[in-house]
């Protein structure tokens, strides 16, 4: 079952694609059929910069369990660092 719900957020950062590093401006998260992963459905995360065309995209397809583990790992890493260390205002 596809939810057709897509969460879109603005981001600032960098991603590395086939043509090297590029600036990121957006991220989308959705549950749907994967393109490459061997599962019927996955949590799909796209990091992209639409202004730079289709090649400025990094796609990730994860199981639900791995997506939740990634969220927890991000929270743990941020909690271990001094507050604001990786902030936009650093």
């Amino acid at each position: 079952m596809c939810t057709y719900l897509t969460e879109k957020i603005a981001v600032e950062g960098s991603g590395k694609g086939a043509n090297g590093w590029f600036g990121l401006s957006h991220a989308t998260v959705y549950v749907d059929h994967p393109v490459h992963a061997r599962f019927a459905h996955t949590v799909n995360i796209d990091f992209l910069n639409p202004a730079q065309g289709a090649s400025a995209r990094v796609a990730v397809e994860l199981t639900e369990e791995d997506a939740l583990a990634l969220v927890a790992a991000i929270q743990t890493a941020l909690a271990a660092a001094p507050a604001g260390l990786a902030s936009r205002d650093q």
Side-chain angles (χ1 to χ4, degrees):
M1 175 185 144
C2 300
T3 65
Y4 301 106
L5 298 174
T6 301
E7 295 294 323
K8 298 179 181 182
I9 62 168
V11 299
E12 289 184 51
S14 295
K16 188 173 183 183
N19 298 324
W21 287 95
F22 59 94
L24 299 175
S25 62
H26 296 82
T28 60
V29 180
Y30 52 100
V31 177
D32 202 345
H33 300 285
V35 173
H36 190 266
R38 60 180 177 87
F39 303 99
H41 293 87
T42 52
V43 177
N44 303 314
I45 307 167
D46 296 330
F47 299 98
L48 57 150
N49 187 335
Q52 293 185 7
S55 65
R57 176 177 175 255
V58 176
V60 179
E61 300 171 339
L62 301 171
T63 64
E64 179 178 332
E65 296 84 357
D66 291 335
L68 290 169
L70 177 60
V71 169
I74 291 169
Q75 291 175 325
T76 299
L78 288 172
L85 184 65
S87 170
R88 286 188 178 121
D89 299 323
Q90 54 183 294

